[in-house]
Amino acid sequence: MTPLAETARAKVNLTLRVLGRRPDGYHELESVVAFAGAADSLTLEPGPEAQLTVTGPRAAECGDVGDNLVFRAARALGEKIQGLRAGHFTLDKHLPAAAGIGGGSADAAAALRLLAASNNIAFDDVRLLDVARATGADIPVCVGSRACIMTGVGETLTPLNLPPLPCVLVNPRVPVPTREVFAELGLKPGQLRTGLSEVLEAIAWPAADASVEAWLDVLAGGTNDLEAPAIRIQPVIEDVLAALRATDGVRFARMSGSGATCFAIFNSHAEAVQAAEAIRAQHPDWWVEASILS
């Protein structure tokens, strides 16, 4: 059979507020999420057992294949659905690991989409969504890979009509473990973040037919509450943000997720490409990609 193929697009948190920490230890979030053209690719050759081969320039960053999220998601779906036909996955890895752009989660979500297609399972099948939630907090949003507002611990998704936004993604090639960033934030179970009385007020997001400028105005006023603790762990993140903010045509720059990847939004794709080239020339050891968020 011809292998099935999926694209695992990078997830970018345009905004990220940490509202508090629940008694069970999980953090309550509110985030505007979009997806970039920068991506890994995943193929599946259907077969009786789940297998995984990792290739590509970032393959060495993936660690033990047996612990890869692709393999874990496939195994979990097989336990949930009796008689599921799996097969041989080949992951072409281009996105940096532990980078705040959901690379592993996007890979796992692509695996679930491939298994769904191979086994005639709907993408909104409750069993597939249950496995996505159980395998990783960012996997549910990556299954759809559409712009949305993500709340709770990542399980509640509200679609957004976000216009295409030219961007540059930059990672300084240093990993930032998510667990360490949340620990640095310092919230105890059951604790709300102080000074967030506005949490109870709904943010007025632009209407479906709003202009790009209207979206940029709202997004530029946002924040990423994990940016400061991530910078304390990896100060180079501040250097990345400074490099992005120094480019021509930049509208705003921010860290994505728990870092260390940062992004900047530009007026045009041409300006984004020029900015990426300039940063790449100054910092050849950084991962730099011009892309479009949607």
Side-chain angles (χ1 to χ4, degrees):
M1 295 181 62
T2 302
L4 304 174
E6 275 283 350
T7 299
R9 299 168 66 197
K11 170 195 66 69
V12 176
N13 299 91
L14 291 169
T15 68
L16 196 163
R17 293 198 302 170
V18 181
L19 307 185
R21 191 175 183 187
R22 305 190 320 193
D24 63 8
Y26 288 98
H27 290 78
E28 288 278 345
L29 309 175
E30 179 190 71
S31 178
V32 175
V33 176
F35 288 83
D40 296 331
S41 61
L42 187 69
T43 60
L44 171 63
E45 188 172 352
E49 297 180 359
Q51 300 176 5
L52 174 63
T53 300
V54 182
T55 64
R58 305 267 82 78
E61 299 176 15
C62 290
D64 181 17
V65 169
D67 196 44
N68 190 282
L69 281 173
V70 168
F71 199 72
R72 287 163 56 186
R75 185 169 52 209
L77 192 62
E79 293 170 354
K80 177 77 77 171
I81 301 177
Q82 187 174 9
L84 182 81
R85 182 176 59 173
H88 190 161
F89 291 99
T90 299
L91 173 62
D92 187 23
K93 190 68 182 171
H94 290 258
L95 300 177
I101 51 175
S105 296
D107 297 339
L112 292 175
R113 293 195 301 270
L114 287 171
L115 289 170
S118 178
N119 289 271
N120 296 314
I121 299 169
F123 285 175
D124 60 354
D125 189 296
V126 65
R127 298 169 297 179
L128 186 143
L129 297 178
D130 284 346
V131 166
R133 295 187 189 100
T135 307
D138 277 341
I139 297 177
V141 71
C142 290
V143 169
S145 292
R146 293 186 295 268
C148 66
I149 300 172
M150 181 176 69
T151 55
V153 296
E155 79 282 10
T156 304
L157 309 173
T158 304
L160 281 178
N161 291 303
L162 189 72
L165 300 174
C167 77
V168 172
L169 302 173
V170 179
N171 183 279
R173 300 280 181 90
V174 294
V176 183
T178 299
R179 185 184 299 273
E180 292 184 17
V181 176
F182 277 105
E184 182 68 24
L185 191 63
L187 294 181
K188 297 177 181 179
Q191 180 182 355
L192 291 176
R193 295 191 73 235
T194 57
L196 283 180
S197 58
E198 73 275 10
V199 165
L200 300 178
E201 302 176 7
I203 295 177
W205 299 108
D209 58 350
S211 66
V212 173
E213 283 298 322
W215 274 102
L216 289 175
D217 285 344
V218 173
L219 292 171
T223 187
N224 181 344
D225 291 337
L226 298 180
E227 193 172 290
I231 288 172
R232 290 195 291 271
I233 294 171
Q234 288 287 7
V236 69
I237 294 171
E238 203 158 32
D239 298 334
V240 174
L241 290 169
L244 285 167
R245 289 167 180 156
T247 56
D248 293 333
V250 64
R251 300 299 298 266
F252 66 92
R254 189 169 294 145
M255 189 184 79
S256 176
S258 57
T261 302
C262 300
F263 68 93
I265 303 300
F266 289 82
N267 289 309
S268 69
H269 182 60
E271 287 176 320
V273 170
Q274 291 174 356
E277 291 174 350
I279 293 174
R280 196 177 292 117
Q282 295 169 358
H283 302 278
D285 54 330
W286 290 0
W287 177 80
V288 183
E289 291 285 337
S291 191
I292 300 289
L293 296 177
S294 61

